[in-house]
């Protein structure tokens, strides 16, 4: 049987998804259902209420916040609004970065991160940034590894971008799952131009009603982002879901603690099975194996992400999202049986 012959509806356990394993909170579900009754009402295209809520919880100026329909939408809006002539990305990362930049006529330099450093962004990459570099996109935490950029490396990059007047776009969509978020955010550094991209999608399992937002260091950036792209891109139910979710800090803290415990347990167990596990501080992590684990697991109703297909890495790299404990146990048990067979 070919792996492509296996239908998605035959999958019982999906570890390729990066959504919160606890699913959408009940309060958010209720907000969506209630908002569905008001879908005939017009939407405020500035999303003032949501921006006010985000401003309060992020402790960030309301005027410097822009809203869009998910993280990818924000990436595309940023590239369309700024229209950089020369940009830099660091792989592995989302293929949408390159697509969004090239779609707007940008020349893209792709710096391939070394497997010797566990695909971790190092401070030396700052040397590649010059006065012709209009914009760089950082992936923090990295997707697919789940590892964060160290404060030292962030500082080196921020300082170089300050000197070259380069805009830093930092995709922080996985940062909600990380303990000690502030230490790893580029917003700590002064005198730089930055745009942080965030989303409600992963933490609150809102894949079907995506809402993303950007925190901009300068108001001129947020103004141009709000005027770029289609207005009313966020639906009434999605807006209600985001307005409810933004204040659920206890839910986020509980999720962070759970993810940390289960991720570490999975890493130890997989290492004991002889699988190479890469460091992570988020809800996803990357493994390496000589076996075609995605195919072997999919035949048993379990889905993981093949990084060769999704992130243009060599064969043998796979991304796993932390799931519920009972599902994680099934994954470990199934992998143990597969490895014993070989």
């Amino acid at each position: 049987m070919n792996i492509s012959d296996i239908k998605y509806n035959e999958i019982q356990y999906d570890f390729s998804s990066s959504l919160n394993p606890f699913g959408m909170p009940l309060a958010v579900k209720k907000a969506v259902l209630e908002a569905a009754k008001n879908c005939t009402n017009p939407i405020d295209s500035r999303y003032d209420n949501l921006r006010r809520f985000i401003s309060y919880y992020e402790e960030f100026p309301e005027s410097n916040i822009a809203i869009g329909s998910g993280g990818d939408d924000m990436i595309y809006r940023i590239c369309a609004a700024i229209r950089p002539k020369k940009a830099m990305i660091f792989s592995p990362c989302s293929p949408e970065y390159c697509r969004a930049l090239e779609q707007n006529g940008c020349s893209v330099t792709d710096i391939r991160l070394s497997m010797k450093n566990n695909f971790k962004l190092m401070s030396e990459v700052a040397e590649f940034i010059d006065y012709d570099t209009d914009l760089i996109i950082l992936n923090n935490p990295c997707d697919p590894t789940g590892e964060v950029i160290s404060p030292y490396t962030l500082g080196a990059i921020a300082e170089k971008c300050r000197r070259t007047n380069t805009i830093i776009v930092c995709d922080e969509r996985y940062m909600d799952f990380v303990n000690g978020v502030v230490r790893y955010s580029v917003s700590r550094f002064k005198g730089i131009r930055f745009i942080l991209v965030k989303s409600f999608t992963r933490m609150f399992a809102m894949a079907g009603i995506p809402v993303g937002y950007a925190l901009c260091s300068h108001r001129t950036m947020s103004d141009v982002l709000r005027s770029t792209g289609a207005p009313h891109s966020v639906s009434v139910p999605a807006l209600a879901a985001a307005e409810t979710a933004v204040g659920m800090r206890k839910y986020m803290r509980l999720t962070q603690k759970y993810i940390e415990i289960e991720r570490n347990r999975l890493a130890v167990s997989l290492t004991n099975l002889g699988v190479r596990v890469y460091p992570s501080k988020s809800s996803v992590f990357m493994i390496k194996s000589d076996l075609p684990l995605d195919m072997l697991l999919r035949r048993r109703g379990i889905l993981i992400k093949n990084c060769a297909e999704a992130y243009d890495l060599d064969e043998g790299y796979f991304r796993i999202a932390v799931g519920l404990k009972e599902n994680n146990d099934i994954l470990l048990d199934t992998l143990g049986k597969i490895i014993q067979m070989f």
Side-chain angles (χ1 to χ4, degrees), residues 24 27-37 209 236-238 240-241 244:
M24 185 182 291
V28 175
K29 288 182 181 179
K30 289 181 177 179
V32 170
L33 292 174
E34 187 63 29
K37 302 174 184 177
I209 46 173
V236 170
T244 302

Side-chain angles (χ1 to χ4, degrees), residues 8 11-19 301-305 319 321-323 327:
Y8 186 83
I11 298 299
Q12 294 178 279
Y13 305 99
D14 186 0
F15 292 91
S16 71
S17 170
S18 55
L19 302 181
I302 298 175
L303 193 64
I304 62 174
K305 181 164 282 192
R319 194 195 76 177
V322 177
N327 294 347

Side-chain angles (χ1 to χ4, degrees), residues 55 85 101 105 109 131 137 153 162 184 198 215 220 236 316:
S55 173
K85 293 180 179 178
L101 288 164
T109 300
Y131 287 95
I137 301 182
T153 295
R162 184 190 65 78
Y184 303 109
K198 300 196 173 192
L215 306 180
T220 52
V236 170

Side-chain angles (χ1 to χ4, degrees), residues 264-277 285 287-291 293 297 320 328-342:
N264 292 340
R265 184 177 75 91
L266 282 166
V268 170
S269 299
L270 288 167
T271 300
N272 291 339
L273 289 174
V275 176
R276 170 73 184 275
V277 181
F285 60 93
I287 65 172
K288 190 176 190 305
S289 174
D290 294 331
L291 300 175
L293 292 181
L297 285 168
I320 295 176
N328 295 337
D329 289 339
I330 291 170
L331 173 65
L332 291 172
D333 182 63
T334 305
L335 276 172
K337 292 175 181 176
I338 289 172
I339 290 170
Q340 281 185 342
M341 291 170 57
F342 292 89

Side-chain angles (χ1 to χ4, degrees), residues 90-94 97 113 118-121 138-149 170-175 178 202 279-286 311 313 319:
F90 306 91
S91 296
C93 64
S94 168
Y97 299 168
L113 303 182
N118 294 330
F119 300 101
K120 187 177 176 68
L121 194 68
L138 301 179
N139 189 17
N140 190 31
C142 175
D143 179 19
T145 68
E147 183 61 299
V148 295
I149 304 172
C170 196
D171 185 349
E172 293 191 352
R173 282 179 280 179
Y174 283 95
M175 194 65 84
V178 178
R202 291 179 171 88
S280 170
K281 286 186 174 62
S282 188
S283 60
V284 296
F285 60 93
M286 191 168 72
Y311 303 97
L313 290 177
R319 194 195 76 177

